[in-house]
Amino acid sequence: MKIAVFVKQVPDSAAKLSVENGTVNWGDAPLVINPWDEYAVEAALQLAEKHNGEVAAISLGAEDAKEALKHALAMGANSATLISDPALATADAAAAAKVFAAAVQKLGGVDLVIFGKQAIDSDTGLAAAMTARVLGWPVLSLVASIAALDAGTIKLERAIEEGRQVVESKLPAVLSIVKDFAEPRYPSFMGIRKASKAEVPLWSLADLGLSAPESKVRWSEISAPPAREVSSEMVTGASADEIAAKLADLIIAEGVL
Amino acid sequence: MAGTWVYVDHFKGTALPASYEAIAAAKALGSPVTALIFGQGVDALAQSAFHYGADAVLLGEDASLADYRAEAYASLLSKLAKEQQPDAVLFPTSSRAREIAAMVAIDLDTGVLVDVTEISQEGEGFVATHPIYAGKLLSKVTVAAKPALVTLRGRAFGKPVADASRSGTVTKVAAAVAEGDLQTKVVDYATVEGRVSLADAAVIVSGGRGVANNPALTPPAEITDEKEKEIWRAQQGFSMIGELAQALNGAVGASRAAVDAGYIPYANQVGQTGKVVSPDLYIALGISGAIQHLAGMRTSKVIVAVNKDPDAPIFKLARFGVVGDLYEIVPALTKAFKERLSK
Ligand SMILES: Cc1cc2nc3c(=O)[nH]c(=O)nc-3n(C[C@H](O)[C@H](O)[C@H](O)COP(=O)(O)OP(=O)(O)OC[C@H]3O[C@@H](n4cnc5c(N)ncnc54)[C@H](O)[C@@H]3O)c2cc1C
């Protein structure tokens, strides 16, 4: 069983962001592996452990994305590859998906491709479905658990808005993983040592046999949202009942009920 | 037919309210609106689509469309769009619609704008606003190809008004992929108990780690483990919160700390790694107001916070704040609302 898992390096979610000359700046906040992708790596590792498989971690990004890959290696991934090419700096989700699909083809013999639910920077959540479509494979998103897996089929449970859906699919397939799957493991000491020494090969567009895919989505402007002007009012009183009565009246007066 | 299309997302024949918001938003763009409805036994949805402003309906009904499957639905949408060349297809931002839009974008070599909070037409193209980095920044985005595929954030476009006198023509369309050519099969489905539709709720009452501090209750004797006792107490606390939510006809939310501690299911989590919500009223009980929580609820119209700690960051965002114990305030508040809203 060969499993490819995609990981992204993103600014820590507590980072204070600002916009300078149209680009996002997160000061000295650390870059971290996208939190959703840790669930994807965990799922890939569990499946590999159970089905005698290997896990190839892949990231698209600048040099610093190697850190996300090292995190995946430290968790237990067998190999890591960074796709990096200046021509991809403004790639939209569809352009990235074409690159992801080419990387999966280049790895060869992949049975499962696994993504996290979404990246916490761009917040689009399109990668799994788009990559699946480029590959011509089925997409199984929001996967909460795997019921069965063999050489040609997978049966799994999806956590959809309305409940749980059990789906069977042919392989190869593309999955996106949600939090319900399992808590991601911490990198072990040995894992961290191994990861720090690991070679991370670089693939350019040329290595993937691609010319720069054209991006159809354009970002014309990034801005800070208008500051929220809240006039705060603390509600006090002699007893809980008095406070509650005042608060209920104030809320009703806001006209939102 | 050109114009704007709207994908009506539904689950087993019940449309997501955001589908109708999308029809109204499409209507506001000025072109004729065609609603797309796929499924089996879903023709009743066509009438609602007309009431909310659709001028025409393309109805894909087939046994192969009975259960939602990404490949079946996306293939049909792509086929129709290739034939009829709409300018844009609007979707509500649901997991299904996002998936379909993603696949159609690849099929038609166009782009998707996801989870947008504003949209307008500029010349030939569409410009939209997409909150990024969990709403900390806003990105202006355009699609340089047709059709523009756009998913609209629920409750960002106002409540649509239905007009029961409106009607239109329904055109039936055949499925694009035969059952035998589909790779996936839905074998089972289970509703999750106490399922919440946070995205559509006008009122959300959320509890955080503070709910653990339930003063009085003694857990049943068979629970001996300390952690289990804590969970049991917090769960009683969440049912108290549920009563307040019910009095306000709202849904129950939670912080990640409450979810991670096992007090309430993940489906209730609000925040960056939970649901992004935008209700008219958000009541935060025993929630400190961490940046990742705020990311999920900061666009709520009126925020109310109850917290023991006068320095809790949540108070900075709150229209009304109470420094106090949620276990004293919540029952009193439920009572006060019941009296006033005569329920
Ligand atoms: C990558 C990442 C993603 C995250 N995503 C999310 C997310 O989606 N959603 C989310 O919520 N968090 C998220 N978090 C976690 C977030 O950082 C906070 O840890 C979390 O929101 C804290 O939850 P809390 O406010 O309930 O708990 P705490 O911060 O522990 O606050 C509890 C509050 O309850 C008050 N309190 C205690 N007892 C009472 C009482 N009896 N009455 C009244 N008040 C009382 C306390 O004063 C305190 O302010 C994320 C974190 C990371 C790193």
Side-chain angles (χ1 to χ4, degrees), chain A residues 13 22 27 39 48 105 112 126 130 160 171-172 184-185 213 231 250 252:
Chain A
S13 63
Y39 298 98
Q105 302 289 20
L112 278 174
L126 297 168
M130 284 183 158
I160 60 173
L171 293 182
R185 66 195 67 187
S231 57
L250 285 166
I252 289 168

Side-chain angles (χ1 to χ4, degrees), chain B residues 76-150:
Chain B
L76 179 52
L77 209 167
S78 292
K79 177 171 167 271
L80 295 170
K82 268 182 202 156
E83 289 164 4
Q84 305 192 26
Q85 310 275 331
D87 294 325
V89 187
L90 307 190
F91 306 74
T93 303
S94 67
S95 60
R96 282 182 291 270
R98 191 187 291 236
E99 211 167 62
I100 299 171
M103 292 165 86
V104 171
I106 298 295
D107 291 352
L108 304 182
D109 201 15
T110 183
V112 190
L113 310 181
V114 169
D115 202 20
V116 311
T117 51
E118 281 171 53
I119 183 166
S120 61
Q121 208 158 358
E122 277 184 19
E124 285 285 276
F126 293 86
V127 186
T129 303
H130 171 210
I132 53 173
Y133 293 96
K136 281 190 250 178
L137 298 176
L138 299 176
S139 166
K140 272 235 151 58
V141 280
T142 53
V143 186
K146 275 193 181 171
L149 307 174
V150 187

Side-chain angles (χ1 to χ4, degrees), chain A residues 12-14 32 34-36 38 120 179, chain B residues 207-215 254-258 260 266 269-275 282 285-296 306-314 322-328:
Chain A
D12 185 272
S13 63
V32 295
N34 177 38
W36 292 108
E38 291 185 67
I120 64 161
K179 198 175 161 176
Chain B
R209 189 163 13 222
V211 178
N213 300 332
N214 197 341
S255 73
R256 175 168 167 175
D260 285 356
Y266 171 57
Q269 185 181 318
V270 171
Q272 181 176 45
T273 49
K275 298 235 163 57
Y282 189 91
L285 305 164
I287 293 178
S288 62
I291 185 99
Q292 297 90 353
H293 188 79
L294 302 185
V306 178
N307 199 304
K308 270 184 181 171
D309 173 8
D311 298 323
I314 188 81
V322 175
V323 178
D325 190 330
L326 72 96
Y327 278 97
E328 289 167 19

Side-chain angles (χ1 to χ4, degrees), chain B residues 51-73:
Chain B
H51 296 167
Y52 283 102
D55 301 295
V57 164
L58 290 172
L59 183 67
E61 281 212 83
D62 193 274
S64 68
L65 300 170
D67 285 310
Y68 165 78
R69 278 175 293 179
E71 32 173 351
Y73 278 50

Side-chain angles (χ1 to χ4, degrees), chain B residues 15 26 38 152 206 276 296 343:
Chain B
F38 302 164
L152 311 182
S206 280
V276 176
K343 272 185 193 164

Side-chain angles (χ1 to χ4, degrees), chain A residues 10-19 23-26 35-36 39 92-95 97-98 117-142 155-172 176 178-180 183 214-226 228 230-236 239-257, chain B residues 9-11 16 67-71 74-75 78 93-96 98-107 109-115 127 130-145 180-192 195-196 202-203 248 256 259-260 266 269 272-275 280-281 283 291-292 297-304 306 310 315-323 328-329 331-337 340-341:
Chain A
V10 298
D12 185 272
S13 63
K16 285 231 182 324
L17 299 167
S18 59
V19 183
T23 55
V24 181
N25 185 326
W26 49 87
W36 292 108
Y39 298 98
D92 67 4
K98 286 168 193 162
K117 180 174 169 261
Q118 68 187 60
I120 64 161
D121 51 357
S122 56
D123 277 340
T124 62
L126 297 168
M130 284 183 158
T131 304
R133 200 60 165 179
V134 179
L135 288 164
W137 297 358
V139 64
L140 303 154
S141 57
L142 312 177
K155 186 175 171 186
L156 49 79
E157 195 175 66
R158 301 180 58 227
I160 60 173
E161 278 103 336
E162 293 80 8
R164 300 270 159 163
Q165 191 190 46
V166 181
V167 184
E168 242 168 42
S169 170
K170 292 178 189 148
L171 293 182
S176 81
V178 292
K179 198 175 161 176
D180 315 50
E183 263 318 292
E214 194 196 341
S215 291
K216 299 289 162 52
V217 175
R218 307 260 160 83
W219 294 263
S220 50
E221 191 187 312
I222 294 180
S223 59
R228 213 187 135 103
V230 267
S231 57
S232 288
E233 202 173 321
M234 297 312 277
V235 182
T236 53
S239 67
D241 282 329
E242 189 187 325
I243 294 170
K246 277 194 204 167
L247 184 57
D249 287 336
L250 285 166
I251 291 171
I252 289 168
E254 291 284 309
V256 288
L257 287 178
Chain B
D9 190 34
H10 66 91
F11 185 72
L16 268 60
D67 285 310
Y68 165 78
R69 278 175 293 179
E71 32 173 351
S75 298
S78 292
T93 303
S94 67
S95 60
R96 282 182 291 270
R98 191 187 291 236
E99 211 167 62
I100 299 171
M103 292 165 86
V104 171
I106 298 295
D107 291 352
D109 201 15
T110 183
V112 190
L113 310 181
V114 169
D115 202 20
V127 186
H130 171 210
I132 53 173
Y133 293 96
K136 281 190 250 178
L137 298 176
L138 299 176
S139 166
K140 272 235 151 58
V141 280
T142 53
V143 186
D181 293 328
L182 292 168
Q183 305 286 303
T184 57
K185 201 169 87 194
V186 176
V187 289
D188 200 8
Y189 168 73
T191 35
V192 167
R195 153 187 136 62
V196 277
V203 174
L248 298 170
R256 175 168 167 175
V259 171
D260 285 356
Y266 171 57
Q269 185 181 318
Q272 181 176 45
T273 49
K275 298 235 163 57
D280 296 329
L281 174 62
I283 304 183
I291 185 99
Q292 297 90 353
M297 44 64 79
R298 59 162 26 109
T299 57
S300 307
K301 246 190 226 143
V302 172
I303 295 169
V304 175
V306 178
F315 285 129
K316 291 208 182 76
L317 216 66
R319 173 77 183 88
F320 302 118
V322 175
V323 178
E328 289 167 19
I329 303 297
L333 197 54
T334 307
K335 191 168 130 256
F337 275 123
R340 285 162 179 75
L341 305 170

